[in-house]
Amino acid sequence: MKGIITKSLIEKIFQPASLQRWNDQIRPIEFTELDKQAHKMIIAWILGKIEEDEEGLLIDWRKIIEYGIFQYFQRTILTDLKPQIYHSLLAQNEARKKLNDFVQREMEESLAHLSVDFYNKFIQFISSNPEDEDFNSIEFKLVSAAHFLATQWEFNVIAHFSPPLFGVESTREEIQSQVDKHLEIKSVKKILYLDKNLRNFIDLCGQLRFQRRWAHIERIPKTSVLGHMLIVAMLSYFLSLFIEPEPCAKRIYNNWYGALFHDLPEVLTRDIISPVKRALGDLETLIKEEESDQISKKLKPLLKEDWYDEILYFTMNEFETKILDEKKNIRHLENDIIPNQYNFDQYSPIDGKLIKTCDKIAAFLETYFSIINGVASPQLIEAKGKLFNELKDRKLDGIDIFLIIDLFR
């Protein structure tokens, strides 16, 4: 029996967009938990790539994706705890068990309906002890390291603008101590001290925090392009769970990271709003060409060649269903979902049309949550109606999108 995406699950996915970080510090911009988690997963991708390429490790990317999602919900539920208290309590067996029992109760209805297997893995993860296999896997270590590197990135922005207030230096030292604990991982050391290009790539991705979605329309909560990319990735992953037969490992990876990077070119061109795109007509092709040119000029020098090629695969014609043929040429397919004969790692399949649908669902939900939060301009109401009409009849391999959006009609 196929699982379902419940309203409570969607609400929990969007909740971190309203969770403010560093609200006891002077901040040049608002930092949200959603943006931090998105940046973390991009950093985890970089760390994993280094470990594969330079250390010869076989990374289980599905574990990295799922550990990231598990931590996302864990932190969402326990958001009232300051990070120092949160990590202190998790280090105490009795306190950790009580916290994890609470998280389990809060997430049971949402995740058990989605997938029993996924829910069981979530329970196993949050119930793990530091001595358990999960905590000692390279995948967990990379996600944990990415978490603190993303935190350090945020703090460096804050510290640059902050006067020497009480506690700032102790916070800096605490973050650095957490990062130092991961220096045994060679990819962490490389990012911090050896490869300026990768640090620049992390900075570039981080700048997507500063670009607001729907920049011409007021909304609550405001969401960034970076946060939007993570929401699309999570929706893409969850819908991929419903595909039959089960997607191959590379397809799961591509659907997640294809969604997570799908708006990366906007850090170079900015978000061009839909009315402008429609007004441009045939000139939209020129926009795509400009994106390609900017990516080549600014991203290519920062990444290894095969990493850059993968980013291009994700971002160029990002909403097309495609595979790599035997000669590693890109083949665009007319199908909404990858045909079964290509559901193998060797074809590197990606369900671009599924990602496009998730992008539309995310936009629809962005309008919905603003409207119920009391900011309901005529433009938002009109956009919500148009997006609902675009999505209501859409089906992907038997996945009825109406069942999701009707929850928020």
Side-chain angles (χ1 to χ4, degrees):
M1 178 179 175
K2 280 188 178 180
I4 60 171
I5 292 179
T6 63
K7 188 173 185 179
S8 66
L9 177 59
I10 296 290
E11 289 170 342
K12 287 184 174 68
I13 290 173
F14 269 82
Q15 187 176 338
S18 301
L19 302 182
Q20 295 294 310
R21 292 174 54 78
W22 306 101
N23 53 11
D24 57 348
Q25 302 288 341
I26 296 174
R27 297 167 292 167
I29 63 163
E30 290 185 345
F31 288 91
T32 69
E33 188 67 28
L34 176 63
D35 291 345
K36 186 271 177 71
Q37 296 290 333
H39 206 189
K40 176 181 85 174
M41 293 308 292
I42 290 174
I43 295 171
W45 178 80
I46 298 169
L47 295 174
K49 285 289 187 182
I50 296 172
E51 294 295 327
E52 280 189 332
D53 289 0
E54 300 184 11
E55 301 304 314
L57 297 182
L58 184 63
I59 299 298
D60 186 334
W61 286 100
R62 186 159 187 169
K63 280 188 176 180
I64 284 185
I65 292 166
E66 291 183 343
Y67 289 170
I69 295 172
F70 297 158
Q71 288 185 348
Y72 182 92
F73 288 131
Q74 190 176 34
R75 199 67 192 98
T76 297
I77 300 301
L78 300 176
T79 182
D80 290 335
L81 296 175
K82 289 192 69 171
Q84 298 92 327
I85 298 173
Y86 171 75
H87 293 297
S88 175
L89 291 174
L90 288 184
Q92 304 171 41
N93 289 338
E94 185 177 352
R96 182 175 65 248
K97 184 178 187 310
K98 290 180 178 179
L99 287 176
N100 290 337
D101 287 345
F102 175 67
V103 171
Q104 179 177 343
R105 290 194 302 271
E106 290 293 306
M107 292 303 304
E108 182 174 7
E109 190 272 336
S110 300
L111 294 183
H113 284 87
L114 175 75
S115 162
V116 173
D117 178 61
F118 185 83
Y119 175 64
N120 287 338
K121 285 193 283 188
F122 174 72
I123 298 307
Q124 180 182 345
F125 177 83
I126 66 171
S127 302
S128 297
N129 297 312
E131 298 79 21
D132 291 344
E133 181 181 348
D134 279 342
F135 271 78
N136 291 289
S137 69
I138 184 61
E139 291 82 10
F140 180 84
K141 291 177 180 178
L142 295 180
V143 173
S144 177
H147 172 91
F148 289 109
L149 288 170
T151 298
Q152 186 180 60
W153 190 94
E154 290 178 328
F155 180 78
N156 288 341
V157 174
I158 290 169
H160 181 75
F161 291 93
S162 180
L165 298 176
F166 175 76
V168 170
E169 280 308 309
S170 62
T171 300
R172 186 196 306 275
E173 291 168 4
E174 184 177 347
I175 294 170
Q176 187 61 53
S177 71
Q178 294 289 351
V179 172
D180 289 346
K181 290 177 182 177
H182 295 85
L183 286 178
E184 64 180 27
I185 305 172
K186 292 186 179 179
S187 54
V188 174
K189 191 176 292 186
K190 178 166 185 174
I191 283 179
L192 287 174
Y193 304 118
L194 301 176
D195 199 320
K196 186 177 180 181
N197 282 336
L198 288 181
R199 293 197 300 276
N200 287 340
F201 180 70
I202 290 171
D203 287 346
L204 196 67
C205 293
Q207 289 174 38
L208 288 168
R209 294 166 175 256
F210 311 145
Q211 290 185 212
R212 279 179 53 193
R213 292 269 298 163
W214 308 79
H216 62 303
I217 299 176
E218 192 61 38
R219 290 183 306 119
I220 297 179
K222 299 171 183 175
T223 48
S224 72
V225 173
L226 184 63
H228 167 80
M229 285 157 45
L230 180 59
I231 288 172
V232 176
M234 293 182 74
L235 292 172
S236 176
Y237 180 80
F238 291 146
L239 288 186
S240 294
L241 296 179
F242 300 158
I243 296 174
E244 295 177 352
E246 181 179 355
C248 64
K250 188 66 173 178
R251 186 172 167 191
I252 291 285
Y253 169 90
N254 285 344
N255 285 357
W256 170 270
Y257 280 105
L260 188 62
F261 284 117
H262 80 277
D263 277 339
L264 181 61
E266 291 184 9
V267 76
L268 307 173
T269 62
R270 298 190 66 185
D271 183 19
I272 302 172
I273 60 176
S274 295
V276 174
K277 289 179 180 176
R278 288 193 294 268
L280 288 173
D282 292 340
L283 293 180
E284 188 169 355
T285 302
L286 296 180
I287 295 173
K288 283 292 184 184
E289 291 174 357
E290 182 63 24
E291 284 183 353
S292 178
D293 183 58
Q294 289 294 314
I295 287 176
S296 177
K297 287 179 180 177
K298 296 184 179 179
L299 282 188
K300 193 171 186 178
L302 305 181
L303 300 171
K304 289 184 61 177
E305 184 177 358
D306 56 333
W307 298 16
Y308 172 73
D309 290 343
E310 186 166 88
I311 291 290
L312 280 185
Y313 189 54
F314 292 151
T315 58
M316 295 294 101
N317 300 305
E318 68 274 26
F319 295 142
E320 293 294 321
T321 300
K322 50 196 172 184
I323 61 167
L324 296 180
D325 64 18
E326 290 80 0
K327 297 181 180 179
K328 301 303 179 184
N329 296 316
I330 298 175
R331 278 189 55 194
H332 297 272
L333 307 176
E334 294 300 321
N335 309 66
D336 289 339
I337 296 290
I338 295 293
N340 292 343
Q341 66 262 36
Y342 299 122
N343 187 27
F344 297 95
D345 290 352
Q346 68 198 66
Y347 294 110
S348 193
I350 182 169
D351 295 293
K353 290 186 174 65
L354 181 145
I355 295 173
K356 180 178 182 178
T357 296
C358 292
D359 183 62
K360 294 282 187 182
I361 294 172
F364 170 78
L365 293 168
E366 286 163 356
T367 65
Y368 167 83
F369 283 109
S370 182
I371 290 168
I372 66 166
N373 282 322
V375 177
S377 66
Q379 298 100 314
L380 270 183
I381 294 171
E382 180 185 3
K384 179 175 179 284
K386 286 183 177 178
L387 286 163
F388 182 87
N389 288 332
E390 284 183 41
L391 289 166
K392 66 180 182 180
D393 297 322
R394 191 166 296 189
K395 288 182 172 61
L396 293 167
D397 193 38
I399 303 168
D400 192 343
I401 303 305
F402 178 78
L403 296 177
I404 299 173
I405 62 170
D406 191 49
L407 299 169
F408 303 90
R409 186 197 287 264

